[in-house]
Amino acid sequence: NGLKSISNNIKTNDYKRLYIGIGHPGSRAAVIDHVIGDPSEEESALYFESYIKTSDAVLKISEDLHEQVMNELNRKQINN
């Protein structure tokens, strides 16, 4: 898998990881299509928002602000 390849190439498992999820379709049988299929318009908008948050997180991580990033990304979202 990808992480094993990275670890083998850099000769360590000691590196920061940023996990990005894409949700679950609700049914195990639908997972493959969900992962490799085209997103809906609503999902595309959410993905765009997540790309912005991810790029901000990567910049902060590169500035050694790991704890700040974890606090921002792990904060529960409250829907109004």
Side-chain angles (χ1 to χ4, degrees):
N1 73 33
L3 291 178
K4 185 183 282 186
S5 177
I6 290 169
S7 296
N8 287 338
N9 280 291
I10 65 174
K11 309 290 188 245
T12 183
N13 290 323
D14 186 24
Y15 52 88
K16 303 295 183 206
R17 296 164 177 87
L18 180 63
Y19 295 90
I20 303 170
I22 61 166
H24 195 284
S27 164
R28 257 188 106 154
V31 169
I32 292 174
D33 287 339
H34 179 72
V35 171
I36 63 174
D38 292 330
S40 67
E41 285 185 34
E42 182 181 343
E43 289 171 325
S44 290
L46 292 173
Y47 290 163
F48 181 76
E49 182 181 330
S50 72
Y51 299 152
I52 300 300
K53 288 181 181 180
T54 301
S55 63
D56 290 343
V58 169
L59 289 173
K60 288 178 182 175
I61 289 170
S62 72
E63 297 169 356
D64 255 353
L65 299 172
H66 310 100
E67 287 190 36
Q68 180 181 342
V69 170
M70 286 190 304
N71 289 332
E72 289 173 1
L73 294 179
N74 293 325
R75 186 178 315 130
K76 287 188 178 184
Q77 301 295 316
I78 300 173
N79 295 329
N80 294 338

